[in-house]
Every structure is written in structure tokens, then in C-alpha cells.
Amino acid sequence: MTLSRKAAVVGIGATEFSKDSGRSELQLAAECVLTAVADAGLEPSDVDGLTTFTMETNSEINVARVAGLGDLTFFSKIGYGGGAACATVQQAAMAVATGVADVVVCYRAFNERSGHRFGSGLSRSEPTSEGIAMSWVSTFGLMTPAAWVAMFARRYMHEYGATSEDFGRVSVADRKHAATNPKAWFYGKPITLEEHQASRWIVEPLHLLDCCQETDGGQALVVTTTERARDLAQTPAVIAGAAQGAAKGQESMVSYYRDDIAGLPEMGLVADQLWAQSGIGPEDVQTAVIYDHFTPFVLQQLEEFGFCKRGEAKDFIADGAIELGGRLPVNTHGGQLGEAYLHGMNGIAEAVRQIRRTAVNQVPDVDNVLVTAGTGVPTSGLVLSADH
Amino acid sequence: MTAVGDVAVDPSVDGAAPLVGEAARLVEEARSFLGRTPGPTRVARDPVNLPMVHHWSQALGDRNPAYLDPDGSSRGHLVAPPGMLQTWIMDAPRDPSAPSPSDEVMRRLDAAGYTSVVAVNYEHEYVRELLHGELVSVRTYAEDLSQEKQTALGPGYFTTTVYEYLVGAEVVGIGRMRILKFKPPVKADVGERVRPAVGRDNAFFWEGVEARQLRIQKCGGCGVLRHPPAPLCARCGSTEQGYVVAVGRGVVYSHVTHHYPPLPGVETPHTALLVELEEGVRIISELAADADPADVRIGLPVELVFQKVPGGQLLPAFRPVA
Amino acid sequence: MTTVGEALPELVLSASVRNIVATALASRDFQDVHHDVASAQQRGSKTIFTNILTSNGYCLRYVTDWTGPEAVVKKAAIRLGVPNYAGDTMTMSGTVDAVESLTEGELVTVAVRGRNSLGDHVTGTVTVLLP
């Protein structure tokens, strides 16, 4: 397979070029994106991918929200200043060539003359749209990930009758698995639901034992073609599905303004793509690694992936379903509450071990493992499968 | 050393956890200076003199003729007010390179974290009356150092400094000052709340807060209300914006109460609110300082107030509708 | 002849700003908490307050006002309580606690108390020799 001739540039758009635009960088970004989309004869809602520079101050989700784009299934930032320019197009081409997105817009916008001039050294300048977005919460003392998640958790409890004990069952399962994993920080240290309930408040309704660890460490993964993988030393864990998601109205950790905040629509977007790409469904998954920086979002993820209906995760997990021996053992390594917090990368490694059937807490007859990434943020997921 | 604290001290309460590590070592080292030979003698700048006595008598309203009139008592001469004993040596020059044993004790208690001081007892034996023209000197030593005590001011140590007042080689008075050296309470200044990043797209909102208005952005094209504000309308694409001023009523849509970790400008427990305004948009805010977090629940009707948060910033907040 | 239990007449002392500053400086106590409101508040106090030398001096004055100028002050032992803040008023009271007859005269110990709106600022004993 080659990238050659698999993709094309179909629209271009720019703002006027001036020494003082008189408007925010976010507005400039949204305007040029919309102009390019119109030039292509497309609607904003047709766009499902964005690429830009790591130096860009307007994140993909801020641009998408302001320009009225739809759900995003591909977003990517390239480093190294101006060196990123053509690479944004290359990323977009790869995305559309492989079908992970249909319409990708590459953008870059700034007030480099009237705002922060690169040549001026450090200076005080117009805040970024990211900074402004965070101000809506930080100014009111809502400043930690636990607090941001707790706001969703409270609403989820209200809408579906979930309790702190339901969150605690996730923690108990993770710690049970960590207790038999010698690599886990909490090896040999299971907890009870009573201990979870007795642990101190961090941000109500979250207790200490609803929160993941903080870890120093590293985790890497090697990817090659399936064909080549067959000639290598280890049993391959085939990437049956890989997807990103940033859903309409997405904000980073604080998407409080959508009609419904008791779910995780970005994870639903990932789920739909993963099931479609891999051709399997929740019933075909033997074990899952569900992102667990804080316990409440584990419940919403089980719902978004269709392991149970909306609001019924508390019933799904009530009888130990997510523990070893249950219907869907979750985080068999101990998760980020029990093993280590490495931004989810250690969970991908556990999924690989489950496919290789070398995990310390091995689930029998594993063919397919679901892995999810960070919740509350634009996210991603994988389905790893045995090669047969 | 002459500061009287804010709170009465009850030295009878004991039971602090034993000290460990460096603090324990410093306190033990402090103990090694107890009962030693007094430190260097410090000599008053001025001999006992009438102008300073006049000043004292006038300030304290003490018209005792024994201090002011040579014929005011049967003594036949002036004596100094005994209460001025320490006054004579208050600014007696001090040699920083020759600390007294009691300086050594204080220094180590400071290093161990017991940096605050409150005087508890002040006792004097006036061995004889002082005559005008006499030059007073003083030397001090550390008499005792208690175990660590839990006091109303915080954990601390009581220690007594003895002052030997001399005229020449003659001891004319002995003073004892017992002080509490304590760790100031941890509930310190929480610092300043972070300020919002204010730019083109949200300046109108924060200008509104200054004017005690809660402003909601209104699209100049299709008229939709939105929060947080944006430079374009995601519905109609218009870049024209105005705002409406919220009436200030709503209901709690969700809420959290922050306990840990400590945050700048946030007094815990701190309740943040997600409020659904009557106008139909949601906004993050916080519970008014005079409201009780225990009263907050989803669906609670709330009303807007403006309050100053630590650091002096004015912010919109909400409290339960009375 | 002094008798144990005899009460001294009360003495009301104004803790005016003027008095607090004047007495601190007259006792050569230049600590800012006794003359600068902002500094006192910065250190956690409500406002400026009376210094220790003055509190002790008031106790002696209270007793010698009662005895007259022949008394020789032999001892004072005071305990410090609540602060005596500017704007408050301290009322001194006292009773004769002990009387001892010596060849040179009567050794009289007076129990004194200085009370303000916050409680006891100073309590203790002052012992004087009355020739």
C-alpha cells in the first residue's frame, strides 16, 4: 500500500493578512477553516478531522466547537514550528487514505504581529483560547482533574441513582487484580468496599480511593505490519480497530455545556468506530482495559461501549462482573488505581499480554481485548485481537 | 519578646506526639544550654535619670512622689520606678557574636519550626531600689525548657529566661520571663485566587463582573444565547455578538466540594457549582461564602451574588434562594 | 495595720492609642505591634496592644497608688492573658493576699487583676514592704 494518489487538497481558505487583525486567534482559525470548507463546497458538519501544529494555540476542539464542526474522528498536531506545514497535509492524507476520516482540514492561525511576536522573546500577550477555556473553571476554584470529573460524577449519580459504593466497586476490582500482580504498586494490598468508603474526601463525591496513583515510569509499544509480525518473536496482538473521538461540544475535561453530561459521547464515537472497524461487538470481548484515572468514568465507558444500557453500569458491576472470573474482567493488571498511572500506556501492554496469554491474571480463551484512553478529554481506543 | 499573643495559653494540656528527626535533635541541643553560666553582660546606654522617669510617669499616669520629688518620701532622695528595671537595658548594645545561652535556646527552637513567641509570665524580685546616676547592666541565662505542649496557639515549648540586673558587681534585681515558643497555626493565608485569562472573546464577561452584572453572550445573527462565549456562532456562523444581563436566578445542575489538595485562594471545603441559569445556559460558579455546602443539592434554586474571594477579586457566586 | 482580704479601690485605665504608644515608647519598647496598626494586623492581632513592661508597670502603680510613696516594691509576679487592645478599657482590682510582720515593717502581698472586655489581661501578685 502506498499513500501516493490516495488523497487530494480540495479547498483553500484564508483570512486577510494584516499587522493587527483586531480579533482573537481562535476567531482567525475558525474563519479560515470555514472559508476553506465553503471553497470545497462542503458543510462544516462534513469535517471530521483536523490537523495543525503543536505550536498552534487553538486546539482542534476549540476550533471545532466555535466553527460548528461535527464529531471528530481524527486530530493530530505536528511539532517543530514551521517544519510542520506540509506534514499537516501528510497526516490528513494518511487519515483519509486509511478511512479513519473523510474530510480533514489542516489549519494554522495566529496574531504573530499584534500579539506574541516570536522575535520578541517572552512577552505579555493576548491569552490563548486554551487559557480562556480553562479560566471558566479555574477562576471558581475548580482546578484539579478530580474536581472536574467529580462534577460529571455528581450528575451521573443524580440521573441514574449510582452511589459512591458503585464507584468503589471499580476500585475494589482494580486493587484485587493489582494484589496478584507483582509489577503493581499495590501488589499484595487489596482493599474492601468499607475501606473505600472510609477513605477521606478529595473532592466530594470522590474519595481518595476513587483516584488513581501518581507514578514515575515509562511504557513503550512496537507496531509493525501484521505480516511482518508473524515472523517475529512474540505472538502478535493484531490491531483490529483503532479510533479517535472528539464529540460535538467537546472541551478538555470540562464539557459541562452539552445537553447531557451524564455520558461520554466522545467515547461513544470511539466505540462506534471500533466495532465497525473490527467487525466485532461487546459480546466478543473477553476482557477490557478501561481507562480509570477516576472510578466514575469506568461506569460511563461500559455504557458507551454497549456492555450494558445507559445508566445500568451500576447493576452490571454489582455482582463482581468486572473482577477476574466475572463476565467481563476489567483492568486485570490492576489498572491505574492498582498497577500504575502511565497515561493508559501500561493498559495497552496488559491487553497485549492477554492476547499473548501471558498475563499474570490471565483470562481464559482471550481473542479480543478492548482498550480505552483518557476520559473527559478527546480520546481514543483500540481493539486488539489474536491472529486467527 | 514583649509581644502578648492573641489567645490565652493553657500550659496544662500535654500529650503532643514525640518529635522525630531534625526537630528533636535541635530541641535536645537547646536543652544543653540550660543552666549554664550567664551570657555576656550588656550595659545600659544611660544611667538612671530623671528625664526618662518623667516620661514613664507621665505615660503611665504614675504620680508616685518617690519617683519625682526628692522630698516626696521619707527616703530623702529619688528612686527609680521599679517597673522601669528592664527599660534601662532595653536598648543596651548587644554583641551578635557572643550569644547568651538563652539566645542559643531561642535560635534552636526557631530552627525546629517553633518560630512564634508569646510571653506568659513576667516576674521580678526587686532586690533594692535604684538610685539616679546608677548604671544598670544585665546578663541572662536559660533556666528551663518544657516538653512539647499542645496549646491553644499550637504546639510549643515553654522556656524561662532569667535576667540578672547588676549595678557594678551587685545584683539589684532578678527578672524571669517565661515565654511560649510555638508553631504558628497551619491555617495560614491561602494566597490569591487565580485570575481569569481575559482576551477579546471574553472581556465583556469580566467587564460585566466588575459592574456586578452576569453577562451572557447573545449572537448578533441568530440571537442564540451561549456560554462560554465564542468569537463565532456555531449555529449561524455570525461574528457579531452582543450580550444580555442574566436576571441572576437558576438551579444547581451539578456541584462538587473540594477538600484536597490546598489550592491558591481557595478556602476548603470549597463548593463549586454548575448552575443552569433561567436564560437556559449553564455556567460554572461557586457557592456564596455565607451559604452552607450541606444545603446544596441538584435542582436547588439559587440566586446570584457577587463576592470577593481571597486576593480581593470580585466573582459571581450563588446562594440558595431564601 | 493591713488585713488580709482587704480590697483595693478599682482603677480604670484607658487603653487609648495615645496611652499604648506613649507607654511603649516610655519603656523603650519600639516593637511595631505597639504603635503601628497595620503591622499589628499583619501579625494577626486586631490592632496595637499594651506591651508587657507597661502591664507590669500598671500593676505596680495600682498597688503603690494605694500604699503611698513609702512602700518599697519587693516582688511582682504577673501572668499574661488576653491582649489589651487599643480602644479597650482595663479595670484593675486587687485584694490583700498576705501580710507578714518583719522588723523593718509589714510585707504585704496584693493579688491584682487587670480585666478588659476580652477577659483577664493580667493577673498576679505584687509584694511591697510598708515601713
Side-chain angles (χ1 to χ4, degrees):
Chain A
M1 171 171 171
T2 169
L3 188 58
S4 174
R5 311 183 77 82
K6 291 288 195 323
V9 178
V10 296
I12 55 172
T15 65
E16 82 286 5
F17 305 130
S18 75
K19 299 297 181 193
D20 185 357
S21 74
R23 52 206 195 275
S24 66
E25 293 182 334
L26 180 57
Q27 182 165 343
L28 297 179
E31 286 181 16
C32 70
V33 167
L34 289 175
T35 307
V37 169
D39 181 60
L42 294 167
E43 293 297 322
S45 56
D46 293 326
V47 176
D48 57 0
L50 289 172
T51 65
T52 184
F53 296 48
T54 54
M55 282 186 77
E56 173 71 26
T57 63
N58 302 294
S59 68
E60 303 95 319
I61 56 175
N62 278 338
V63 172
R65 194 161 41 79
V66 167
L69 308 185
D71 295 342
L72 301 180
T73 61
F74 178 71
F75 30 96
S76 179
K77 283 185 168 180
I78 319 296
Y80 310 110
C86 296
T88 61
V89 178
Q90 182 203 34
Q91 287 279 306
M94 290 193 291
V96 297
T98 54
V100 302
D102 288 328
V103 177
V104 178
V105 178
C106 316
Y107 70 96
R108 178 80 172 108
F110 51 47
N111 284 324
E112 201 278 330
R113 179 61 181 79
S114 69
H116 175 61
R117 300 168 70 178
F118 298 156
S120 67
L122 293 175
S123 69
R124 213 184 127 68
S125 57
E126 176 84 1
T128 65
S129 51
E130 283 294 270
I132 287 177
M134 202 36 79
S135 280
W136 295 117
V137 293
S138 61
T139 310
F140 296 97
L142 204 58
M143 294 172 73
T144 63
W148 300 327
V149 170
M151 192 67 84
F152 290 104
R154 177 85 73 184
R155 188 69 202 181
Y156 178 83
M157 294 165 88
H158 173 78
E159 293 204 5
Y160 299 121
T163 65
S164 170
E165 292 195 349
D166 295 322
F167 301 154
R169 283 181 244 283
V170 172
S171 195
V172 169
D174 271 1
R175 292 290 291 270
K176 175 183 173 180
H177 300 160
T180 53
N181 172 10
K183 292 269 173 65
W185 177 258
F186 284 122
Y187 175 57
K189 291 180 179 165
I191 58 163
T192 63
L193 196 55
E194 290 68 34
E195 286 170 308
H196 169 272
Q197 288 295 294
S199 67
R200 64 191 167 95
W201 290 122
I202 297 300
V203 181
E204 292 177 63
L206 299 188
H207 291 275
L208 174 66
L209 292 177
D210 287 308
C211 307
C212 70
Q213 308 175 52
E214 293 166 292
T215 302
D216 285 5
Q219 174 78 59
L221 307 154
V222 178
V223 178
T224 184
T225 63
T226 305
E227 194 175 354
R228 178 124 196 253
R230 290 181 182 128
D231 298 329
L232 296 179
Q234 301 286 351
T235 306
V238 176
I239 302 167
Q244 282 188 301
K248 197 168 170 59
Q250 182 81 54
E251 306 230 4
S252 184
M253 295 304 291
V254 293
S255 308
Y256 298 143
Y257 314 100
R258 294 164 165 165
D259 290 345
D260 173 19
I261 69 164
L264 287 170
E266 52 278 6
M267 203 54 95
L269 186 57
V270 169
D272 293 346
Q273 296 176 78
L274 288 184
W275 299 145
Q277 281 181 29
S278 63
I280 66 165
E283 62 285 355
D284 303 311
V285 169
Q286 289 79 38
T287 179
V289 178
I290 306 291
Y291 199 87
D292 57 344
H293 55 358
F294 300 99
T295 56
F297 277 156
V298 172
L299 275 65
Q300 281 102 316
Q301 290 182 81
L302 292 170
E303 296 167 10
E304 293 289 353
F305 277 91
F307 292 105
C308 57
K309 290 197 180 116
R310 183 60 62 89
E312 293 182 359
K314 65 180 194 304
D315 310 310
F316 180 81
I317 67 166
D319 59 352
I322 59 171
E323 296 180 17
L324 276 176
R327 289 191 302 290
L328 179 73
V330 163
N331 300 341
T332 49
H333 57 318
Q336 302 192 96
L337 287 99
E339 186 186 60
Y341 173 71
L342 272 178
H343 257 161
M345 294 295 279
N346 54 320
I348 303 175
E350 172 66 4
V352 171
R353 286 189 293 267
Q354 287 288 348
I355 294 293
R356 291 179 182 177
R357 306 194 176 183
T358 60
V360 290
N361 294 317
Q362 183 65 45
V363 173
D365 306 321
V366 171
D367 283 327
N368 301 302
V369 184
L370 169 69
V371 189
T372 70
T375 39
V377 287
T379 189
S380 57
L382 292 170
V383 172
L384 299 185
S385 298
D387 181 24
H388 48 239
Chain B
M1 284 277 287
T2 51
V4 182
D6 239 345
V7 183
V9 177
D10 180 3
S12 62
V13 186
D14 207 336
L19 279 182
V20 291
E22 181 64 4
R25 191 189 68 72
L26 287 162
V27 171
E28 281 323 299
E29 208 174 278
R31 259 179 231 294
S32 72
F33 288 94
L34 297 179
R36 289 210 185 164
T37 315
T41 301
R42 297 189 294 121
V43 183
R45 283 188 201 278
D46 300 305
V48 175
N49 65 84
L50 192 57
M52 279 176 63
V53 172
H54 272 145
H55 192 176
W56 166 277
S57 294
Q58 193 177 357
L60 271 81
D62 190 343
R63 309 307 299 172
N64 189 336
Y67 310 148
L68 302 168
D69 177 1
D71 303 319
S73 72
S74 61
R75 292 173 185 83
H77 57 80
L78 290 174
V79 295
M84 285 186 75
L85 184 55
Q86 193 181 356
T87 297
W88 302 116
I89 56 90
M90 276 297 273
D91 66 344
R94 192 182 276 274
D95 175 3
S97 68
S100 72
S102 109
D103 294 335
E104 299 280 10
V105 170
M106 301 304 164
R107 200 173 284 182
R108 279 159 186 79
L109 290 176
D110 280 333
Y114 302 87
T115 52
S116 293
V117 61
V118 60
V120 183
N121 296 89
Y122 190 66
E123 301 181 4
H124 287 86
E125 186 181 334
Y126 303 103
V127 176
R128 72 160 173 82
E129 293 180 320
L130 289 179
L131 307 179
H132 285 228
E134 288 187 316
L135 190 63
V136 180
S137 58
V138 70
R139 55 189 189 186
T140 63
Y141 61 92
E143 188 173 55
D144 59 27
L145 178 61
S146 72
Q147 295 302 310
E148 192 188 42
K149 307 279 184 182
Q150 292 299 336
T151 76
L153 294 172
Y157 289 85
F158 291 91
T159 180
T160 304
T161 300
V162 179
Y163 295 69
E164 279 184 2
Y165 294 95
L166 306 161
V167 171
E170 181 195 3
V171 175
V172 294
I174 296 170
R176 279 191 168 75
M177 179 160 341
R178 186 166 170 79
I179 63 159
L180 171 68
K181 284 284 285 176
F182 65 99
K183 280 188 186 171
V186 236
K187 184 180 159 41
D189 182 9
V190 294
E192 294 194 6
R193 184 73 65 83
V194 296
R195 305 262 165 179
V198 180
R200 288 188 173 97
D201 297 339
N202 69 343
F204 78 95
F205 180 91
W206 294 107
E207 286 159 12
V209 170
E210 288 287 305
R212 294 179 179 255
Q213 291 182 348
L214 186 64
R215 295 177 178 171
I216 307 169
Q217 192 172 60
K218 180 178 185 178
C219 176
C222 66
V224 72
L225 298 182
R226 60 175 174 258
H227 185 87
L232 274 79
C233 179
R235 200 165 75 168
C236 75
S238 170
T239 57
E240 299 299 312
Q241 302 115 27
Y243 63 81
V244 297
V245 176
V247 297
R249 284 187 300 270
V251 296
V252 173
Y253 191 79
S254 190
H255 59 100
V256 302
T257 298
H258 185 98
H259 293 266
Y260 185 86
L263 301 174
V266 176
E267 281 161 345
T268 52
H270 172 81
T271 299
L273 304 174
L274 179 58
V275 175
E276 193 148 84
L277 296 175
E278 216 168 82
E279 288 81 3
V281 301
R282 277 182 222 141
I283 183 171
I284 288 286
S285 183
E286 63 190 74
L287 188 64
D290 60 359
D292 184 354
D295 293 337
V296 178
R297 56 181 168 75
I298 289 175
L300 178 73
V302 289
E303 62 189 11
L304 175 69
V305 295
F306 285 89
Q307 66 179 20
K308 285 201 171 162
V309 296
Q313 182 180 183
L314 188 70
L315 287 183
F318 287 84
R319 66 174 169 219
V321 173
Chain C
M1 186 69 197
T2 314
T3 53
V4 171
E6 182 181 344
L8 281 64
E10 287 192 347
L11 172 67
V12 177
L13 297 164
S14 160
S16 63
V17 170
R18 172 188 174 280
N19 283 349
I20 287 171
V21 175
T23 54
L25 298 187
S27 54
R28 288 203 165 179
D29 185 340
F30 301 104
Q31 289 202 45
D32 54 17
V33 290
H34 305 309
H35 62 256
D36 181 36
V37 175
S39 298
Q41 288 174 343
Q42 202 177 349
R43 290 168 202 276
S45 295
K46 197 176 80 178
T47 181
I48 59 168
F49 51 88
T50 303
N51 71 327
I52 296 174
L53 274 70
T54 299
S55 301
N56 187 60
Y58 278 144
C59 290
L60 304 192
R61 174 199 156 186
Y62 177 57
V63 173
T64 54
D65 276 3
W66 171 68
T67 59
E70 297 306 323
V72 178
V73 179
K74 304 302 285 183
K75 278 191 337 198
I78 65 169
R79 181 181 156 81
L80 297 153
V82 298
N84 194 37
Y85 284 127
D88 212 333
T89 298
M90 179 163 71
T91 302
M92 303 296 302
S93 62
T95 51
V96 176
D97 200 43
V99 181
E100 194 181 342
S101 288
L102 304 174
T103 49
E104 57 267 47
E106 260 184 347
L107 194 66
V108 176
T109 299
V110 179
V112 296
R113 169 182 302 256
R115 199 173 172 78
N116 63 23
S117 68
L118 300 177
D120 286 338
H121 165 62
V122 57
T123 53
T125 58
V126 175
T127 302
V128 292
L129 180 69
L130 301 178

